Amino acid sequence: MVYVIVEHIKGQIEDITFEMLGKAKTMGSGVTAVLLGDGVDTLTGQLGAADAVLLCQDPNLANFNPEAFCKTLASILNGKNDDIIMVGNTSMGMEIGPGLSAALGMPLISYVTDLSDTSVTSALYGGKMSVQSGVSGGYIASVMAGSFSADDGNISGSPGVETVSAPDLSNTKVRFTRLIEPEGGDVDITQHDVLVSVGRGIQNEDNLEVVQELADKLSAALSCSRPIVDNKWLSKSRQVGKSGLKVKPKVYIAVGISGAPEHIEGMKDAECIIAINTDENAPIFDYAHYGTTEDLFDVVPAICERL
Amino acid sequence: MNIVVVIKQVPDLVEELELNDTGTDLDREWLKFKVNEFDDHALEAALLIKDAQGANVTVVALDNGLDIDKALYAAAAKGADRVVKVTGDFEGYVSSHAAAKALGAVIPSLGADLVLTGVQAVDDRDGQLAVLLAHQLGMAHVTVVTDINVSGSAATVHKEYGGGMIGEFNVQFPAVLGIQAAAETPRYVPVAKVRRAMKDTNIDEISADAAGVDAGTEVQKMYKPETGSGAEMLSGSAEDIASRIVEIIRGKGV
Ligand SMILES: Cc1cc2nc3c(=O)[nH]c(=O)nc-3n(C[C@H](O)[C@H](O)[C@H](O)COP(=O)(O)OP(=O)(O)OC[C@H]3O[C@@H](n4cnc5c(N)ncnc54)[C@H](O)[C@@H]3O)c2cc1C
């Protein structure tokens, strides 16, 4: 049996869940979706890719809570050590995967991009290496978003629902207080045809002028990788990737971005990706349509001159 | 309050990565290592708490036989009060499960209210350390944390989800937090200050082992991925390349 942990937020099932369900279906040993929450029974109709749903509802599960979810899943999945458990390598999954591995004593493999009964592939070293791990028997796979097609697992239906009760969750040391929505930015990078996206290769805040000029000349928006936001050089609303926004522009020009899996997640569906990166082994070139290893400080001004 | 920060070194991805003879691991002989960037953020987050309200900050690392002393001296130079090297059989690659076991044996003696470590590392194939460590220590956990507000024996923390959405949690101590980003860019420490710290700081050594614990699965094969079709690499001078890029962009009708 393959157990897929359903991830949902604000009443919406996340794509990663459908991606995992689609893959699990092809593995041939039956699929059970595990759904935790409160008042979420209506979501089971979207889990048609699963043969069955284990549903656990409790007021303490109304919002994701690392402790309550780990405790509940450990109780529901106790004794399933010979099965495969799939969880997203997401913010929630990064609590659940290791939490279940520790609680159930099951092996855990992270950053998973493909899996079977005998081997599991992970993307490590910022996407610069693929690693195949041998497995026999049960294990937990923490699956990277975008590894499988969501369409294959997004099937409505009425799988058999088994209701299970939650353990006592009244005394958790972690308490959910609220969800904070992202602040709207000055631009909506998801709405632009052309994005000039800048990464750590730009070195410092002053150098942003170089890419801003290119963006201006192309009437494009300036977007970026995470470190640029962490350095407070650009606002969060311009971040592309796992913890930023998913974008699908016609043209995405990645300037000094290495192409870490968390960044790729947000932009790999762009129509045309052009990468400028001095490291010929940068993973961004595996996803780009066109690439150059010229120094960005030479090539970007040269592009501007020609526009 | 006592804050323990766990740091480790990871291969510097700026360097070319080579495989070992059996193709199951990196060839570690010539690799350049650096402190995991998220561990740097964890240390910064601890030092920000110390700056704001006072805290005793201890930085801990497994002794992997590399330049870990230098990393610990740098931490001391930045403001850590105590640096601890966990000695034992930790050369080469140490899995997250093994690291959690060894650190889980040492950290209780350091009296931690809060344990901070990086949200992930580029090589944690068997999962991220923070939550595994929390289980070893019997502590609460929240990971992917971007903001910590301590009050008394609890903290309000921000956990980042996709799309910039944030979950806010109240966490009672003792707890382990996996740090995604500190509220400030990790502080820079001049080399002269690190040198001074090398003279003035004593690295405490505590031994531990992770006997019988490993990743739970074995690497069969490590290889450079050939995802997608790969890019068409543009050649010529920067000017030629710039002209081609302009053509390509114009060709997309924008
Ligand atoms: C839970 C989690 C969520 C995350 N979410 C995101 C996210 O949403 N978005 C995101 O981007 N990251 C995210 N990250 C971070 C991610 O892991 C990487 O750290 C980040 O993407 C790296 O950004 P970068 O490519 O700009 O920097 P680096 O990886 O440092 O790459 C810089 C690149 O610039 C190149 N370069 C340097 N100088 C030049 C030059 N002169 N000319 C041309 N090229 C040059 C280098 O060769 C290098 O490849 C997340 C991480 C975690 C743990």
Side-chain angles (χ1 to χ4, degrees):
Chain A
M1 182 65 71
V2 180
Y3 290 90
V4 173
I5 314 293
V6 177
E7 182 166 330
H8 58 90
I9 190 161
K10 296 201 299 177
Q12 295 275 343
I13 297 178
E14 299 269 36
D15 272 350
I16 178 70
T17 302
F18 298 124
E19 292 165 17
M20 292 190 292
L21 285 171
K23 173 64 186 175
K25 238 163 76 82
T26 66
M27 294 172 72
S29 57
V31 183
T32 299
V34 186
L35 175 59
L36 272 53
D38 195 33
V40 290
D41 34 330
T42 49
L43 295 180
T44 57
Q46 294 172 49
L47 302 173
D51 303 302
V53 178
L54 281 176
L55 174 66
C56 182
Q57 304 206 82
D58 187 286
N60 293 302
L61 299 172
N63 288 284
F64 179 77
N65 174 326
E67 186 176 348
F69 272 59
C70 286
K71 201 171 168 190
T72 304
L73 286 166
S75 121
I76 295 176
L77 297 170
N78 187 22
K80 312 282 188 215
N81 289 45
D82 294 329
D83 294 303
I84 296 173
I85 300 174
M86 288 169 86
V87 61
N89 195 65
T90 56
S91 184
M92 297 183 194
M94 283 160 113
E95 314 268 1
I96 295 169
L100 280 181
S101 175
L104 304 177
M106 285 174 75
L108 167 65
I109 303 174
S110 283
Y111 314 100
V112 170
T113 56
D114 201 7
L115 69 160
S116 74
D117 291 341
T118 52
S119 82
V120 178
T121 310
S122 307
L124 295 182
Y125 299 103
K128 281 192 155 184
M129 285 290 166
S130 290
V131 177
Q132 190 180 306
S133 306
V135 285
S136 60
Y139 64 90
I140 302 165
S142 183
V143 179
M144 298 294 286
S147 301
F148 308 107
S149 151
D151 292 344
D152 294 348
N154 193 349
I155 303 167
S156 53
S158 45
V161 177
E162 184 189 336
T163 305
V164 287
S165 53
D168 179 16
L169 301 171
S170 54
N171 265 321
T172 53
K173 289 187 283 178
V174 181
R175 297 209 159 257
F176 170 84
T177 44
R178 61 180 173 139
L179 264 187
I180 304 170
E181 299 282 342
E183 281 169 34
D186 45 343
V187 285
D188 183 353
I189 58 168
T190 64
Q191 298 301 315
H192 278 256
D193 280 344
V194 186
L195 290 176
V196 173
S197 209
V198 60
R200 193 141 54 182
I202 198 72
Q203 291 168 5
N204 61 50
E205 189 170 8
D206 291 342
N207 288 342
L208 281 179
E209 272 178 20
V210 176
V211 279
Q212 184 66 59
E213 189 189 345
L214 178 58
D216 291 347
K217 290 232 155 120
L218 289 169
S219 308
L222 192 60
S223 60
C224 62
S225 67
R226 168 143 209 151
I228 303 298
V229 175
D230 285 341
N231 286 339
K232 301 190 176 66
W233 298 347
L234 288 174
S235 70
K236 184 82 186 170
S237 60
R238 293 185 187 251
Q239 183 187 319
V240 173
K242 186 193 199 78
S243 50
L245 294 164
K246 270 203 181 70
V247 297
K248 268 191 207 175
K250 284 195 180 136
V251 179
Y252 187 85
I253 309 174
V255 185
I257 292 178
S258 63
E262 295 86 0
H263 187 79
I264 297 296
E265 230 181 278
M267 45 60 78
K268 67 174 170 26
D269 295 329
E271 241 175 73
C272 175
I273 300 167
I274 303 170
I276 302 170
N277 192 313
T278 43
D279 176 5
E280 58 174 340
N281 293 312
I284 190 77
F285 292 128
D286 297 332
Y287 300 88
H289 303 90
Y290 301 94
T292 171
T293 53
E294 281 294 315
D295 194 302
L296 77 90
F297 295 106
D298 294 330
V299 81
V300 173
I303 301 171
C304 289
E305 271 172 32
R306 282 163 179 75
L307 289 167
Chain B
M1 74 182 286
N2 290 319
I3 306 177
V4 169
V5 180
V6 178
I7 65 169
K8 80 165 186 176
Q9 286 172 309
V10 292
D12 189 343
L13 299 184
V14 169
E15 305 289 307
E16 174 138 14
L17 303 178
E18 297 290 346
L19 293 164
N20 67 4
D21 293 342
T22 51
T24 53
D25 192 4
L26 298 177
D27 181 353
R28 293 179 174 263
E29 183 154 359
W30 304 109
L31 271 183
K32 209 175 122 203
F33 285 81
K34 59 168 206 171
V35 172
N36 172 19
E37 64 173 302
F38 302 111
D39 294 349
D40 252 340
H41 277 273
L43 174 57
E44 182 61 33
L47 294 173
L48 288 173
I49 296 171
K50 177 178 169 173
D51 293 347
Q53 59 200 73
N56 202 50
V57 176
T58 303
V59 175
V60 187
L62 298 183
D63 178 12
N64 58 358
L66 294 165
D67 259 355
I68 200 67
D69 287 10
K70 212 168 109 198
L72 290 172
Y73 287 129
K78 286 181 178 182
D81 302 283
R82 182 181 177 194
V83 290
V84 177
K85 183 160 78 173
V86 180
T87 57
D89 188 13
F90 304 120
E91 264 183 52
Y93 178 72
V94 180
S95 72
S96 297
H97 283 74
K101 174 89 194 289
L103 291 160
V106 170
I107 290 175
S109 70
L110 305 174
D113 299 300
L114 205 49
V115 178
L116 307 184
T117 191
V119 59
Q120 69 180 42
V122 293
D123 61 356
D124 46 14
R125 182 179 66 94
D126 64 327
Q128 302 81 16
L129 176 69
V131 176
L132 294 170
L133 182 56
H135 272 258
Q136 283 290 334
L137 295 167
M139 292 185 185
H141 56 84
V142 181
T143 190
V144 200
V145 168
T146 53
D147 192 47
I148 310 170
N149 227 309
V150 175
S151 86
S153 60
T156 301
V157 303
H158 285 179
K159 171 181 176 64
E160 215 174 71
Y161 298 129
M165 187 109 68
I166 285 166
E168 189 185 76
F169 296 91
N170 188 271
V171 191
Q172 268 170 266
F173 297 160
V176 181
L177 303 179
I179 304 298
Q180 162 87 68
E184 300 291 336
T185 309
R187 62 196 67 188
Y188 171 77
V189 57
V191 181
K193 232 178 145 187
V194 179
R195 279 213 203 95
R196 213 171 314 134
M198 287 170 83
K199 288 203 194 94
D200 302 345
T201 312
N202 188 35
I203 297 179
D204 292 338
E205 296 193 6
I206 302 178
S207 69
D209 70 58
V213 178
D214 56 30
T217 58
E218 275 192 16
V219 174
Q220 289 175 329
K221 182 165 90 170
M222 189 179 286
Y223 55 98
K224 294 188 179 169
E226 307 138 33
T227 2
S229 50
E232 176 187 333
M233 297 305 282
L234 308 174
S235 55
S237 65
E239 286 71 28
D240 297 341
I241 289 167
S243 300
R244 270 293 282 145
I245 290 177
V246 171
E247 260 172 54
I248 293 162
I249 299 171
R250 293 300 182 220
K252 291 284 153 192
V254 295

